Amino acid sequence: MSPIETVDLLVTGARQLVTLRGEGEPSPRAGRGMSELGIIRDGAFAAKDGRIVRVGSTEEVSRQVRLAPGGEAVDASGRVVTPGFVDAHTHAVFEGSRPQEFEARLQGSSYQEIAAQGGGIRSSVRAFRAATTEQLKETALERLDRMLELGSTTVEIKSGYGLSLDDELRALEVARELDGAHPVDVIPTFLGAHEIPEEFASRRDEYVALVAEEMVPEVSRRELALFCDVFCEEGVFTVEESERVLVSAKRHGLGLKIHAEEFTRSGGAALAARLGATSAEHLLEVNEDDIAAMREAGVVAVLLPGVSFSLGLSKYAPARTMIEMGLPVALATDCNPGSSMTESMQMIVTLACVEMRMTAAEALAASTSNAAFAVGLGMECGSLEAGKRADALVLNMEDYRELPYHYGVSNVQHVIKNGRLVVRSGLRVRS
Ligand code: NIG
Ligand code: FE
């Protein structure tokens, strides 16, 4: 018998404790594995110093642990408990909003036409450059509060609205400060190759060189990012330009991500496979060769159905084919002012099910465990297992399948981050 352990958080009575525990291999889930949620009925877990120490039935865990004086007891009776969402793709450090573009699209303009007329990313670059660092931090903190209240406990954030050395460093410094100042864990990604800035419009080669030869080394030297991303797309960066940036990033020790095949099939997915990227994102226009190449190279597909929805596109990424072919799928909001203005992973789960025909189980695995692998944290979070960060949600439902079904509201009752109750009854707890 192992001795009784003193813990500082004890969650008991979950009607369904959705653990997503792994079966051996520390790798993302693929194929049928995406439907295996490892549900424990009348489940419980206990945490100490921010990490999970016991997971099992309420009866087992209650026997194995003792709650320290002042510890937190969470009664999850009759409810569903899941890992916290990992939002694996956002552009959450930005200033201003672009509702006029949303309206223009409803009247028939396309995302690319608006961008070509000086709107789009470039308009958010103007707003970013005009904002003070304090302002940027303040609006991003409010955004992170909303994300946390909606159940995201880890959030990847890309730079990419600065597009000069100083402004890109500023974006990543803000991301780092957010990580320290907010319970959500922030994963910083450098996306200097998000767009060609106005001042380089006629000198694109120079801008690519600036990103690859100056920005990447400086970001790496200052340890401001874990990943480097590129918007590889017709009219933005070509495959050759994307490769130049990503090869430099790899040489400087950054993990690789790529915005690929969003509007056109331009070769970004194959590039991700060739360079061994951690993830490729969007992927509306991939074909089966791309899917097979990514699968063989161990690339995670990060799908962003909020973009198709918000842009009013009828096309979504082929999630079913990906799952059938064994490519691990993750989901994310893509929270940004242009193509997906939402903080809600719950909404994304609904869209993934309705529009991409994922099951509730697959969508849940894609938003937690697989999303954690997509940001390099597969061994740290995304499942309820001993040793992992105690990041969990108590959902206001009896069956996890209510998650996509009950939409347009928040189903999150409590949020636990690193073993602490940070959202209680839907509201942020400030300590
Ligand atoms: O992921 N695709 C490129 N970047 C964002 C859009 C950013 C913006 O429009 O501001 C995206 O969709
Ligand atoms: Fe994006």
Side-chain angles (χ1 to χ4, degrees):
M1 265 300 289
S2 53
I4 291 188
E5 183 156 9
T6 303
V7 298
D8 47 35
L9 173 92
L10 179 58
V11 180
T12 55
R15 189 180 165 101
Q16 296 178 338
L17 187 87
V18 179
T19 64
L20 282 136
R21 61 188 162 210
E23 305 293 342
E25 281 296 287
S27 52
R29 281 151 199 276
R32 283 225 285 279
M34 287 189 67
S35 307
E36 287 159 17
L37 298 185
I39 294 177
I40 300 174
R41 313 242 155 222
D42 191 12
F45 78 90
K48 188 179 180 175
D49 300 328
R51 297 268 163 180
I52 297 172
V53 292
R54 291 281 194 283
V55 184
S57 69
T58 297
E59 201 260 309
E60 274 165 3
V61 175
S62 306
R63 243 188 307 116
Q64 294 167 346
V65 304
R66 188 179 71 90
L67 191 61
E72 186 92 57
V74 178
D75 176 12
S77 299
R79 302 190 196 276
V80 172
V81 173
T82 68
F85 293 125
V86 176
D87 191 345
H89 177 143
T90 87
H91 306 251
V93 176
F94 64 84
E95 204 53 36
S97 61
R98 288 153 42 197
Q100 69 292 354
E101 295 182 6
F102 181 79
E103 193 157 80
R105 279 194 303 272
L106 297 179
Q107 288 155 0
S109 306
S110 72
Y111 179 84
Q112 297 96 310
E113 283 161 6
I114 292 167
Q117 288 156 12
I121 294 169
R122 283 180 179 171
S123 83
S124 291
V125 170
R126 291 190 286 275
F128 181 99
R129 289 178 177 177
T132 65
T133 302
E134 265 320 294
Q135 234 174 314
L136 291 168
K137 194 175 153 189
E138 209 174 296
T139 44
L141 277 173
E142 286 170 15
R143 212 163 277 135
L144 280 186
D145 273 345
R146 281 194 292 277
M147 290 174 158
L148 188 65
E149 283 172 6
L150 291 163
S152 297
T153 46
T154 301
V155 174
E156 186 255 18
I157 299 184
K158 301 172 196 298
S159 65
Y161 292 118
L163 308 190
S164 68
L165 177 61
D166 286 350
D167 282 302
E168 284 297 300
L169 294 176
R170 208 151 68 92
L172 293 170
E173 274 155 10
V174 169
R176 171 147 75 190
E177 285 180 38
L178 296 174
D179 185 52
H182 197 278
V184 161
D185 281 315
V186 172
I187 308 301
T189 295
F190 168 62
L191 178 56
H194 195 194
E195 174 62 287
I196 304 276
E198 265 150 356
E199 64 276 18
F200 280 90
S202 58
R203 299 175 289 143
R204 54 182 303 126
D205 285 355
E206 282 178 45
Y207 186 67
V208 175
L210 177 68
V211 174
E213 316 321 333
E214 288 181 45
M215 293 192 196
V216 163
E218 193 57 21
V219 165
S220 159
R221 196 182 66 76
R222 297 190 191 205
E223 297 184 6
L224 280 170
L226 291 173
F227 292 96
C228 177
D229 193 344
V230 177
F231 188 7
C232 179
E233 181 65 44
E234 197 178 287
V236 195
F237 293 93
T238 64
V239 171
E240 293 68 32
E241 291 166 341
S242 303
E243 180 160 3
R244 183 164 175 197
V245 171
L246 293 176
V247 164
S248 168
K250 195 170 180 177
R251 205 159 15 93
H252 286 89
L254 297 174
L256 309 185
K257 291 178 169 287
I258 184 164
H259 282 63
E261 336 296 353
E262 180 175 357
F263 299 110
T264 52
R265 181 165 179 268
S266 38
L271 179 64
R274 197 145 43 81
L275 297 181
T278 302
S279 63
E281 339 231 317
H282 289 285
L283 306 175
L284 273 68
E285 303 291 340
V286 285
N287 66 19
E288 293 191 3
D289 290 342
D290 298 327
I291 294 174
M294 288 190 285
R295 179 191 61 207
E296 296 316 308
V299 179
V300 178
V302 178
L303 306 187
L304 312 163
V307 175
S308 297
F309 178 73
S310 177
L311 296 183
L313 308 177
S314 52
K315 190 157 192 180
Y316 283 75
R320 283 261 54 91
T321 309
M322 292 175 181
I323 293 170
E324 274 148 29
M325 289 182 64
L327 178 65
V329 168
L331 290 166
T333 60
D334 198 6
C335 176
N336 78 76
S339 64
S340 185
M341 188 65 153
T342 184
E343 290 89 351
S344 176
M345 283 299 290
Q346 295 175 71
M347 180 67 191
I348 298 306
V349 165
T350 293
L351 292 174
C353 294
V354 173
E355 300 289 356
M356 302 196 298
R357 303 287 152 156
M358 289 173 70
T359 63
E362 289 166 345
L364 200 46
S367 310
T368 54
S369 180
N370 278 9
F373 279 100
V375 296
L377 289 180
M379 302 308 288
E380 275 292 306
C381 61
S383 66
L384 301 178
E385 294 177 281
K388 289 209 171 166
R389 292 179 193 163
D391 298 352
L393 310 178
V394 179
L395 300 175
N396 219 335
M397 57 186 65
E398 294 185 351
D399 184 318
Y400 74 87
R401 289 174 297 184
E402 288 175 51
L403 192 57
Y405 157 79
H406 190 175
Y407 71 96
V409 294
S410 181
N411 293 296
V412 169
Q413 188 187 23
H414 305 315
V415 180
I416 294 157
K417 176 63 196 171
N418 289 328
R420 300 174 71 108
L421 200 62
V422 290
V423 173
R424 190 193 297 272
S425 301
L427 295 175
R428 268 282 272 130
V429 178
R430 307 205 182 251
S431 45

